[in-house]
Amino acid sequence: MIGLASASAILLIVSILGICSNLVALLTVKRTKYMHNTFGALCVSLASCNLGICLIYFGWCSVATLSMMDRNDRVFFDSELGKKVGQVALLFLYGSIYTHLAVSFNRMMSLLFPLRYLMMFDFRKSLALLVVVWICAFIEIIPYFWSHNCYFFYKYEVALWEFAETECGEFTGFYFDFLPSIIVVIFILIMDVIALIRLRATHAATCDTNMSNEQRKARKIERGFFIQSLCQTVPFLMAVLCFHVVSRYANTDWELFWAMTFSWVSLHTIDGFIIDLFHTRRMVFRVKVKIVPSFTMS
């Protein structure tokens, strides 16, 4: 049997770290000029999804669980509210998954078509890309509006998220969660490999003496964006493997907890830290003081 208090305390610590890391990531994008582009907008989308998941883990899986633990109030978590919390959690999860896909697509296009990239991802097209990401995420949670048979909830007594043990719950769990996640992973891997091959092929051009300093600086920033997206792909792949594959071989409640619940919130916490690691500098935290000129009468 899992130690519920210990599991909730672990989730509390990780979710607080995730909230902090993703708030810093959002602040970083806002205050860093070279992030005011399509890639920065995707980072905002990703950090927002991460923040949403971490807030749910903090408020629902940690604080609410600890407060309800002595009452053994399972009905609270299985209620209509609990089902809606699960639906929102899935919305943020799928938003994160499709944003990861969009990031890989964006990086691949920037390396394949460096000269046309800015025209391909202007403001309107960047906005359209974000709209597509969130439409796809919303489509996947539509079945959960019929929450009598289809729902996703936090089973607090074992600290696990589960789909409803119904025909609809099993269908959505496979065709709306497992299958799309695997397909997205495959596409991300394909695009990252293409981008990596292209990056190696054009590496010599960076050392070209005919390139201006501004061109080299821009190319360096683009390479940094790709390396960041690659670093974020790794924990994403690990989380998907843990949730859908490793969990199948778990024999105890604690093993299931680490493979499914902990790996999920850890992904969103690490995502925020990666953005911070690549872009956050001390100037981000500087408080801008607006000096108002004073007028004196002589």
Side-chain angles (χ1 to χ4, degrees):
M1 184 68 180
I2 193 171
L4 189 57
S6 300
S8 299
I10 291 170
L11 297 179
L12 180 67
I13 294 171
V14 178
S15 62
I16 289 174
L17 290 174
I19 291 169
C20 294
S21 68
N22 286 287
L23 283 175
V24 171
L26 291 171
L27 181 64
T28 297
V29 174
K30 180 182 178 181
R31 294 192 172 182
T32 305
K33 288 185 178 180
Y34 67 80
M35 295 285 286
H36 295 173
N37 50 32
T38 304
F39 185 78
L42 291 172
C43 286
V44 169
S45 176
L46 192 57
S48 299
C49 294
N50 296 336
L51 182 61
I53 292 293
C54 290
L55 285 171
I56 289 174
Y57 265 88
F58 173 79
W60 194 252
C61 305
S62 304
V63 176
T65 300
L66 289 171
S67 62
M68 294 289 177
M69 191 168 56
D70 294 335
R71 295 167 53 182
N72 196 26
D73 193 358
R74 178 173 178 176
V75 177
F76 176 74
F77 289 90
D78 292 358
S79 65
E80 194 65 28
L81 174 62
K83 295 174 183 178
K84 292 304 176 186
V85 170
Q87 186 180 24
V88 173
L90 286 178
L91 175 64
F92 285 128
L93 172 63
Y94 298 145
S96 171
I97 289 173
Y98 288 117
T99 302
H100 273 287
L101 180 64
V103 167
S104 291
F105 173 71
N106 177 264
R107 292 301 87 207
M108 181 186 70
M109 298 303 288
S110 71
L111 291 170
L112 288 178
F113 308 102
L115 299 179
R116 296 162 52 192
Y117 170 73
L118 292 178
M119 294 179 61
M120 295 169 65
F121 288 91
D122 57 16
F123 176 77
R124 289 186 178 180
K125 292 172 184 175
S126 300
L127 183 61
L129 180 62
L130 286 172
V131 169
V132 169
V133 164
W134 284 98
I135 287 177
C136 290
F138 183 78
I139 288 173
E140 288 202 48
I141 67 162
I142 288 177
Y144 304 103
F145 283 106
W146 291 268
S147 57
H148 181 70
N149 292 319
C150 276
Y151 55 89
F152 181 72
F153 73 107
Y154 185 65
K155 194 173 183 179
Y156 90 101
E157 61 267 29
V158 289
L160 293 175
W161 290 93
E162 293 187 356
F163 290 94
E165 295 181 355
T166 62
E167 184 178 351
C168 182
E170 293 177 358
F171 179 86
T172 54
F174 182 80
Y175 289 102
F176 282 73
D177 187 79
F178 172 73
L179 202 57
S181 297
I182 297 302
I183 292 173
V184 168
V185 165
I186 292 172
F187 274 104
I188 286 176
L189 287 174
I190 292 172
M191 288 189 290
D192 283 352
V193 169
I194 293 173
L196 188 59
I197 293 172
R198 179 63 177 174
L199 181 65
R200 293 192 62 182
T202 59
H203 177 70
T206 309
C207 304
D208 190 349
T209 56
N210 294 325
M211 292 182 66
S212 66
N213 290 332
E214 291 185 359
Q215 288 176 319
R216 289 181 183 178
K217 186 177 180 180
R219 188 66 63 87
K220 185 178 180 181
I221 291 173
E222 291 297 328
R223 285 206 311 269
F225 285 163
F226 173 69
I227 295 171
Q228 175 195 327
S229 70
L230 209 59
C231 290
Q232 289 179 301
T233 297
V234 174
F236 171 68
L237 294 178
M238 294 297 295
V240 170
L241 287 174
C242 285
F243 195 91
H244 292 292
V245 180
V246 176
S247 62
R248 297 176 183 271
Y249 301 95
N251 297 316
T252 66
D253 289 340
W254 271 111
E255 290 177 357
L256 280 172
F257 169 79
W258 294 116
M260 299 180 70
T261 312
F262 180 79
S263 67
W264 185 8
V265 69
S266 296
L267 161 66
H268 301 286
T269 299
I270 293 171
D271 248 353
F273 277 119
I274 290 175
I275 297 174
D276 299 340
L277 179 64
F278 275 85
H279 306 288
T280 305
R281 302 295 181 264
R282 283 185 295 179
M283 53 78 60
V284 169
F285 301 103
R286 290 178 184 171
V287 178
K288 297 181 180 179
V289 179
K290 187 177 182 180
I291 300 176
V292 179
S294 60
F295 298 91
T296 58
M297 296 182 64
S298 56

